[in-house]
Amino acid sequence: MRNIRMTIGYDGTDYHGFQVQPGVPSIQAALIEAIAAITGETAAVHGSGRTDAGVHARAQVVNFVTSSRLPADRWCQALNARLPNDIVVWKAEEAPLTFHARKSSKRKTYCYTINGNRYPDPLNRRTEFHHPGSLDVSAMREAIRHLEGEHDFTSFCSVRAASESKVRTVYEAQLTQTAVEGMESATGVGRLRLFFTGNGFLYNMVRIMAGTLLAVGEGKLHAAEIPRILQARDRALAGPTAKPYGLSLWSVEYEL
Amino acid sequence: MRNIRMTIGYDGTDYHGFQVQPGVPSIQAALIEAIAAITGETAAVHGSGRTDAGVHARAQVVNFVTSSRLPADRWCQALNARLPNDIVVWKAEEAPLTFHARKSSKRKTYCYTINGNRYPDPLNRRTEFHHPGSLDVSAMREAIRHLEGEHDFTSFCSVRAASESKVRTVYEAQLTQTAVEGMESATGVGRLRLFFTGNGFLYNMVRIMAGTLLAVGEGKLHAAEIPRILQARDRALAGPTAKPYGLSLWSVEYEL
């Protein structure tokens, strides 16, 4: 048996998330089907994490164990020929049998993209949240720093989150601001990207952090309130859950 | 009567080009319909130029004359509320009655985007041409310089081009190379962008220049052959017409 580790990207718009669910399209089901077409086997495909319905990925990592003898460098082409064009396998390599895309992962980075111009960018409308109202970007910069570090993120996860411990470490939280290219003269703050790198993220955690930072940008919350919201461990105090389509799983890191 | 000048962006994927054609969707028809819904008038909407079926725009400029008294700064919101979400008006201002989006334009910039990685980027598949084979980027850089300047571009336009004179000036032709973000470790040359700024472009001219540069990248043509191809005034000597969906009208400049 061999363990194949792959890096995949997808446009999540037309999927009900990563995980297999009966009767609806999912990334995992599409992968299982394409692998079965090649190997005749129904493989268990493990992802580094589930992405919600509508969430995208630049570099999701998955693995599966197979008896197929297809060389590692042939999997990309073989699978891409069978996958729909909104899912792409762009790296495949053989991994030790002990490798597990979720259990072995050390750090993950997510990116939440906000188009803060007055009018949306039609060419990126599937992958960014459009916020036409004014945003105080320096307040958002101040707020995002309070999310870095080891915290109990109970206030920043869905009340439906199953994890026992809500303590996670956000190693890095950054806001970048760039013009929407080709629309440099458009009115507004341009494109904001919120990058979060952590050892793990609770259910809806990135979307709630993004929604809370948007509330800070709108002046509905003060940046200085973030520490108190964290301490309160009360989901009701943080901002709303931001729309899924602005979110992308950016990268997953493993120990060598 | 007032002359309204607008800057619009669109995802051209689902349109048969800018220009009205009977029985098929076009950008111009969508604009005329949305303007009519506001004013009750069927306006003549002039674009800075036609874009082909499947070609996009970041900053296409259009104008129309209307008797409506709607202030210039209200047109964006009013039209965007009525337009499909793949067309966005992001700037509107009042212009002198003598202003004409095409006749008054001085310089236009187009961008042709090539993803030169082995596997495509699912999140940008509508707006870039995927070229999985190897490309000699330095040969392409050398070739693109030969396209700058005033030339007879007969070899670089469709034999169906109607213009009498095929002489045009390309003020600037540039190739940029960046990583496909989030996929930095993917195999290949990354994302190449070909920017062409000129006083006007003949039918299919940018797509033929892009196709010719791709032929140079593939080693099918030498960069040094470009001057000879220009001089020959023979469409058969240049490369193929590149796919429309990699092309975007980037900006249009006018004299102040």
Side-chain angles (χ1 to χ4, degrees):
Chain A
M1 299 303 278
R2 297 158 64 224
N3 194 3
I4 306 296
R5 166 183 167 167
M6 306 194 303
T7 308
I8 68 173
Y10 47 84
D11 176 342
T13 308
D14 296 332
Y15 295 89
H16 289 249
F18 181 82
Q19 196 180 26
V20 167
Q21 289 178 68
V24 294
S26 67
I27 306 298
Q28 204 178 26
L31 291 168
I32 291 170
E33 194 183 318
I35 293 166
I38 296 166
T39 64
E41 301 167 350
T42 302
V45 174
H46 305 288
S48 73
R50 304 167 189 177
T51 50
D52 291 345
V55 173
H56 317 288
R58 297 271 175 183
Q60 164 77 294
V61 175
V62 302
N63 79 291
F64 61 96
V65 171
T66 178
S67 65
S68 164
R69 292 180 170 188
L70 193 69
D73 61 357
R74 299 281 297 282
W75 280 100
C76 288
Q77 209 171 343
L79 286 171
N80 288 333
R82 285 162 180 88
L83 286 165
N85 69 357
D86 49 10
I87 306 177
V88 172
V89 179
W90 56 271
K91 203 181 205 176
E93 52 203 322
E94 202 157 339
L97 280 168
T98 53
F99 175 83
H100 185 285
R102 179 170 51 78
K103 294 178 190 162
S104 309
S105 74
K106 296 298 174 203
R107 292 156 62 105
K108 258 188 246 180
T109 299
Y110 279 93
C111 174
Y112 197 90
T113 307
I114 299 155
N115 181 341
N117 282 350
R118 180 96 181 264
Y119 301 105
D121 173 0
L123 294 167
N124 287 292
R125 67 192 191 281
R126 290 164 161 253
T127 54
E128 63 190 17
F129 173 64
H130 177 234
H131 187 285
S134 71
L135 285 172
D136 180 341
V137 178
S138 60
M140 293 172 74
R141 273 190 208 282
E142 192 192 329
I144 200 171
R145 292 183 45 219
H146 293 297
L147 296 169
E148 285 189 343
E150 187 183 78
H151 301 288
D152 183 317
F153 282 98
T154 302
S155 299
F156 289 86
C157 74
S158 165
V159 292
R160 291 183 292 146
S163 322
E164 229 166 275
S165 165
K166 305 288 197 296
V167 176
R168 295 289 184 279
T169 301
V170 173
Y171 299 115
E172 210 176 344
Q174 276 204 318
L175 184 157
T176 66
Q177 182 176 22
T178 53
V180 177
E181 52 174 11
M183 299 188 171
E184 284 79 1
S185 68
T187 316
V189 298
R191 180 170 286 136
L192 306 180
R193 280 183 157 162
L194 313 171
F195 286 96
F196 300 98
T197 301
N199 61 355
F201 293 92
L202 298 160
Y203 187 47
N204 280 354
M205 179 171 152
V206 182
R207 289 168 56 192
I208 296 169
M209 293 193 294
T212 304
L213 293 170
L214 281 165
V216 169
E218 290 165 345
K220 293 176 183 164
L221 272 178
H222 285 291
E225 290 177 80
I226 303 286
R228 195 178 52 75
I229 295 170
L230 280 165
Q231 281 152 29
R233 298 180 202 181
D234 178 357
R235 170 69 188 91
L237 297 183
T241 307
K243 298 281 187 200
Y245 56 87
L247 184 61
S248 287
L249 172 55
W250 205 257
S251 62
V252 191
E253 292 167 72
Y254 296 87
E255 261 168 28
L256 292 180
Chain B
M1 299 303 280
R2 296 158 65 224
N3 194 2
I4 306 294
R5 167 184 166 167
M6 306 195 302
T7 310
I8 68 173
Y10 45 84
D11 176 343
T13 308
D14 296 331
Y15 295 89
H16 289 250
F18 181 82
Q19 196 181 28
V20 168
Q21 289 178 68
V24 293
S26 66
I27 305 297
Q28 204 177 27
L31 291 168
I32 291 169
E33 194 183 320
I35 293 165
I38 296 168
T39 64
E41 302 167 349
T42 301
V45 175
H46 305 288
S48 74
R50 303 168 189 179
T51 50
D52 292 345
V55 172
H56 317 289
R58 298 271 176 181
Q60 164 77 291
V61 175
V62 302
N63 79 290
F64 62 96
V65 171
T66 178
S67 65
S68 164
R69 291 178 172 193
L70 193 69
D73 60 357
R74 299 281 297 282
W75 281 98
C76 288
Q77 211 172 340
L79 286 172
N80 288 333
R82 285 160 180 89
L83 286 165
N85 70 356
D86 47 11
I87 305 177
V88 172
V89 179
W90 58 270
K91 203 180 204 175
E93 53 203 322
E94 201 158 338
L97 280 168
T98 52
F99 175 83
H100 185 286
R102 179 170 51 79
K103 294 178 189 160
S104 310
S105 75
K106 296 298 175 205
R107 293 155 62 106
K108 259 189 245 181
T109 299
Y110 279 92
C111 175
Y112 197 90
T113 307
I114 299 155
N115 181 340
N117 282 350
R118 180 96 179 267
Y119 301 106
D121 173 359
L123 294 168
N124 288 291
R125 67 191 191 283
R126 290 163 162 254
T127 54
E128 62 190 18
F129 173 65
H130 178 234
H131 187 285
S134 70
L135 285 172
D136 181 341
V137 179
S138 61
M140 292 171 75
R141 273 189 208 283
E142 192 191 328
I144 200 171
R145 291 183 45 217
H146 293 297
L147 295 169
E148 284 188 342
E150 185 182 81
H151 302 288
D152 183 316
F153 282 97
T154 303
S155 299
F156 288 85
C157 74
S158 166
V159 291
R160 291 182 291 148
S163 322
E164 226 166 278
S165 165
K166 304 290 197 294
V167 175
R168 294 290 183 278
T169 301
V170 173
Y171 300 114
E172 208 177 346
Q174 273 204 321
L175 183 158
T176 67
Q177 182 176 23
T178 54
V180 177
E181 52 175 10
M183 299 188 170
E184 284 80 1
S185 66
T187 316
V189 298
R191 179 170 287 138
L192 306 182
R193 281 184 156 161
L194 313 172
F195 287 96
F196 299 97
T197 301
N199 60 354
F201 294 92
L202 299 160
Y203 187 48
N204 280 354
M205 179 171 153
V206 182
R207 290 167 57 191
I208 296 169
M209 292 194 292
T212 303
L213 292 170
L214 281 165
V216 169
E218 291 165 344
K220 292 176 183 163
L221 273 178
H222 285 290
E225 290 176 79
I226 303 285
R228 194 178 52 75
I229 295 170
L230 281 165
Q231 281 152 28
R233 300 181 202 181
D234 178 357
R235 169 69 189 93
L237 296 183
T241 308
K243 298 281 185 197
Y245 56 89
L247 184 61
S248 288
L249 173 54
W250 205 258
S251 62
V252 191
E253 291 165 75
Y254 296 88
E255 260 168 31
L256 292 180

